[in-house]
Amino acid sequence: MTGRQRADGTTGDGIFTTIVYAVRNERGPDEEFVLDALQTLRSLTDRLVVVAPGPPRDSAAASIADTLEWTSEQDRSIGSMWAHGISAAVSQDEGEIVLTGDDSFWHSGRLKQVSERMRGAKGDAWAMTERLHGDERTVGEALWLAIRREVLDTAAWHQFWRSRARTLDGGEFEVAFDDMLTESSASLHVAFPRLESDPVAPSFEAAHVLVSRGAPLLRVDLFRASPARLDRAGIVPRWALDAAEAASFKLLPILRHLARSTAPRLLNTNGALLNVLAVSGSERTRDHTMRIAVVAHIFYEDMVDEIVDLADNLPGPYDLVITTPDQDRARTIREQLASRTRTWGELDVRVLGSNNGRDQGAFLVACRDLIVEDDYDLLVKVHSKKTVQDGFNIGRHFKQQQLLNLLDTPGYVDGLIDMFRNEPALGLVYPPTIHIGYPTMGRGWWSNKSGFASLAAELGITVPLDDVSPLAPYGSMYIARPAALRRMVGRKWSFADFGGADAYQDGGLAHILERLPSYSAAEDGYYTRTVMTADYTAISHTSFEYNLDQLSVTIPGGIDEQVSLIRRLGFFGQGRAADVLRMYLRSHAPKHAHAVDRWETRIRRVRSRLRRS
């Protein structure tokens, strides 16, 4: 292979003459994992062509690639993007062209090794992986396709890219590409062929097994698939992450991209980002050097000792920042703290003068400085919680669920702090969604979603929103890196923004902000983990399992079919005849159901006008 002059002035002597890399993620070619892949591919090829959707703009990818081509924003099919790259930048004297893109995360060392290995393989083309199509036929997957000179000279190759390829994506493209190779009398070899014992598509259905065999890729869509579909098929994406970590994939850019581009609850589920910390001893297990501040909003002064007792499980000395609505409470709090043996470093009692927004207002208004500055590595946000309006048992359980799953024992807290120490992209940790005593399942947004979407847009948050319930610290207690919360205070809040006590309800600012932390953090590349003690896991899981068992008894099919059916039927209402009729129409005559909904909306508007008049 002859050396070729690159865009940066160096001479290439790569394994491949040209690599065409399609960027299809919504955030474009400057995602960290894309730039990392391009750096690897740069060393493998004489010419690197990057194709990305959107208007031309400055991009770090341009300094790595020889050519950066821009296509229409809507033009994201793999066939169309590769066709664009080939027609715009590929000459007639190619030796071996590779077609790939950001549909996969790549392991740089493994990718180089496989490319060297396949350099001497027989055949006219080779794919990285394959899947079963129909009963007997296998096709190369459109994750990595290398095509040699013998194919590039055929009429079938040129005809394929001039016409049919531009309309194809996914499986349709793979089958059509295989047909083109057959028409060219070309043979296809596979770097990691599907074994007889493998499922239909090992790269998706057995990603962890493929990685254990030495494969250099992880499919991005594995972590965005429907959890119900994965559950039905017994697919566990977490195993793929574990295998990738064991194989020394660069997890940091992978997790940062998934955080920014995946709805947080979906990622929490598919990544199994719930940690059950079994370390629960009373002794500290290791020393920590992290700078920690406990930020406690105290409305109920009789909870001071309870909160500080739990805060003492943190590796000390921690700083203690207490907010409270008035001077009388502040005086009582100082007296209680004065009677204790001091276990904290600095003490700062901040009197607010207003309880608007309760703990949300206290944290985001009165403690904004702790979030925007770099004085602390971690903030522990807690507050005196009784929830007296819901009765003794429910209120007590909610308080325990929040505080103990964060600060149970010194050994437990050591394990929790270790997660932040070991995972630079971990932004927040908090208990999972409360469900005992509260009908949160299926209703987590309540009436906050529209207001949330408006505020997210204002703050520049484009992370996908979960459709049913957000991933959120219900109860609003969590441990977080200040950097993961900064976007929340991009707007400078005031107590007046929250309104008085009457405004503390669903749809109000405080309830919207309660649901914001994980989405705000994700926009800046920080993901969330949920955490439970082993004891609470036993309580929560058995309750969840029983309730799901009871809810599923009258619904046919597997979990994916059950979810599809109940989502198609829609809201059950009160189970009256009209509600059942509407569900029937939604399932069997959706056009009529939409017409009924429109008429009901019009009737409600007329009634509303009549009441106002």
Side-chain angles (χ1 to χ4, degrees):
M1 181 175 293
T2 59
R4 188 182 295 269
Q5 192 77 9
R6 291 173 173 164
D8 60 6
T10 62
T11 300
D13 191 20
I15 298 173
F16 310 106
T17 310
T18 300
I19 295 179
V20 178
Y21 185 95
V23 176
R24 303 212 288 167
N25 81 83
E26 294 289 339
R27 291 175 178 261
D30 288 335
E31 276 290 87
E32 185 179 350
F33 87 99
V34 171
L35 296 176
D36 184 69
L38 294 181
Q39 290 286 5
T40 298
L41 298 175
R42 172 76 282 169
S43 66
L44 298 177
T45 186
D46 294 337
R47 184 195 293 118
L48 178 58
V49 178
V50 177
V51 184
R57 56 191 183 274
D58 290 338
S59 168
S63 65
I64 305 173
D66 296 283
T67 304
L68 175 56
E69 288 288 325
W70 298 95
T71 68
S72 164
E73 188 69 52
Q74 292 73 38
D75 200 7
R76 291 177 184 265
S77 73
I78 196 65
S80 178
M81 296 192 77
W82 281 341
H84 187 90
I86 290 169
S87 64
V90 174
S91 64
Q92 298 298 313
D93 60 342
E94 299 299 332
E96 186 169 19
I97 295 176
V98 170
L99 304 176
T100 187
D102 65 352
D103 290 335
S104 297
F105 303 114
W106 295 98
H107 184 296
S108 59
R110 287 184 169 195
L111 183 56
K112 292 177 182 178
Q113 291 171 4
V114 174
S115 298
E116 287 283 3
R117 170 168 67 87
M118 295 303 291
R119 190 176 198 173
K122 297 179 180 179
D124 306 312
W126 64 274
M128 191 68 70
T129 55
E130 65 181 353
R131 67 176 178 85
L132 185 64
H133 175 71
D135 293 332
E136 312 236 344
R137 178 182 178 187
T138 58
V139 296
E141 292 188 296
L143 303 173
W144 176 283
L145 298 169
I147 306 96
R148 292 172 175 153
R149 181 84 233 169
E150 292 77 8
V151 178
L152 302 180
D153 286 336
T154 65
W157 166 266
H158 294 288
Q159 180 62 28
F160 178 72
W161 294 108
R162 279 197 300 267
S163 56
R164 192 174 178 201
R166 295 177 182 273
T167 64
L168 299 176
D169 203 6
E172 288 186 342
F173 175 89
E174 292 165 353
V175 172
F177 188 85
D178 193 67
D179 289 340
M180 181 271 294
L181 291 179
T182 301
E183 187 179 343
S184 303
S185 301
S187 58
L188 177 72
H189 284 242
V190 181
F192 296 91
R194 178 184 169 275
L195 304 182
E196 189 174 343
S197 59
D198 284 342
V200 169
S203 66
F204 186 90
E205 298 171 278
H208 61 296
V209 174
L210 203 59
V211 169
S212 71
R213 292 176 188 162
L217 79 161
L218 275 181
R219 285 177 56 160
V220 178
D221 62 349
L222 174 62
F223 302 98
R224 300 200 186 113
S226 160
R229 173 193 170 193
L230 297 174
D231 180 287
R232 177 69 179 272
I235 299 170
V236 182
R238 168 66 180 269
W239 292 348
L241 279 179
D242 291 343
E245 183 176 24
S248 300
F249 276 69
K250 290 183 180 179
L251 286 190
L252 184 58
I254 291 174
L255 290 171
R256 285 198 185 280
H257 174 68
L258 290 175
R260 283 189 284 258
S261 61
T262 311
R265 182 174 289 279
L266 181 63
L267 178 58
N268 186 262
T269 302
N270 285 343
L273 300 180
L274 164 66
N275 287 57
V276 178
L277 296 178
V279 180
S280 56
S282 60
E283 299 299 322
R284 190 154 312 285
T285 60
R286 60 189 63 82
D287 294 328
H288 288 283
T289 58
M290 282 193 163
R291 301 164 300 165
I292 301 175
V294 174
V295 187
H297 181 58
I298 305 292
F299 183 82
Y300 301 107
E301 309 98 304
D302 59 341
M303 281 190 65
V304 169
D305 284 335
E306 182 178 3
I307 286 176
V308 178
D309 283 346
L310 287 168
D312 285 350
N313 291 329
L314 288 160
Y318 62 90
D319 288 345
L320 181 58
V321 180
I322 291 179
T323 56
T324 196
D326 54 61
Q327 291 288 355
D328 289 340
R329 285 185 171 86
R331 187 179 307 109
T332 302
I333 290 167
R334 289 191 180 98
E335 290 172 354
Q336 291 184 66
L337 292 176
S339 67
R340 294 178 60 97
T341 301
R342 190 180 181 104
T343 53
W344 52 89
E346 297 295 324
L347 172 64
D348 184 0
V349 179
R350 303 184 178 187
V351 180
L352 307 179
S354 171
N355 201 41
N356 286 357
R358 301 185 187 179
D359 62 286
Q360 296 293 337
F363 187 57
L364 298 176
V365 177
C367 298
R368 184 176 187 272
D369 58 308
L370 304 179
I371 299 172
V372 300
E373 296 172 3
D374 291 317
D375 294 337
Y376 297 102
D377 299 308
L378 296 176
L379 300 177
V380 181
K381 181 187 178 300
V382 293
H383 57 100
S384 60
K385 186 171 186 61
K386 291 191 175 183
T387 325
V388 292
Q389 69 274 17
D390 293 328
F392 175 79
N393 283 320
I394 291 176
R396 184 172 183 270
H397 168 263
F398 202 171
K399 179 185 72 172
Q400 301 266 57
Q401 191 258 4
Q402 292 285 285
L403 289 170
L404 294 185
N405 283 321
L406 285 178
L407 300 167
D408 186 33
T409 66
Y412 178 86
V413 174
D414 278 349
L416 195 157
I417 300 299
D418 262 352
M419 293 192 296
F420 284 100
R421 185 171 60 85
N422 296 330
E423 302 176 45
L426 176 60
L428 292 103
V429 166
Y430 50 77
T433 302
I434 184 81
H435 62 91
I436 295 175
Y438 292 94
T440 47
M441 294 297 102
R443 300 177 177 87
W445 281 114
W446 293 101
S447 57
N448 300 288
K449 193 171 186 179
S450 61
F452 183 103
S454 297
L455 178 58
E458 178 186 336
L459 297 176
I461 298 171
T462 61
V463 173
L465 302 189
D466 289 281
D467 63 339
V468 177
S469 292
L471 182 70
Y474 301 91
S476 202
M477 300 195 205
Y478 49 82
I479 300 177
R481 297 184 197 273
L485 303 175
R486 280 180 189 147
R487 193 171 289 266
M488 290 182 66
V489 291
R491 171 177 167 182
K492 197 167 184 179
W493 302 103
S494 70
F495 287 111
D497 291 327
F498 291 89
D502 292 342
Y504 195 83
Q505 56 186 327
D506 276 313
L509 180 60
H511 281 76
I512 289 172
L513 288 169
E514 180 182 29
R515 289 155 174 79
L516 189 63
S518 289
Y519 297 82
S520 175
E523 184 64 32
D524 293 314
Y526 293 99
Y527 59 90
T528 297
R529 285 190 181 273
T530 46
V531 65
M532 285 194 290
T533 68
D535 286 344
Y536 190 77
T537 302
I539 296 168
S540 175
H541 182 78
T542 51
S543 171
F544 225 149
E545 183 179 296
Y546 182 86
N547 291 340
L548 181 61
D549 186 55
Q550 294 293 307
L551 288 171
S552 301
V553 67
T554 61
I555 308 173
I559 185 65
D560 57 335
E561 295 169 317
Q562 292 175 337
V563 169
S564 177
L565 174 62
I566 60 179
R567 293 298 296 273
R568 187 169 70 250
L569 292 176
F571 188 56
F572 184 69
Q574 302 299 315
R576 296 168 299 192
D579 297 320
V580 174
L581 174 61
R582 190 175 290 104
M583 292 173 69
Y584 177 86
L585 290 175
R586 279 195 290 263
S587 179
H588 294 86
K591 289 184 180 179
H592 296 294
H594 292 323
V596 171
D597 290 339
R598 286 195 297 272
W599 274 107
E600 283 197 337
T601 299
R602 291 172 184 170
I603 291 170
R604 282 195 297 269
R605 287 173 180 169
V606 170
R607 287 175 176 171
S608 177
R609 292 193 197 100
L610 291 174
R611 282 195 297 269
R612 288 198 299 269
S613 62

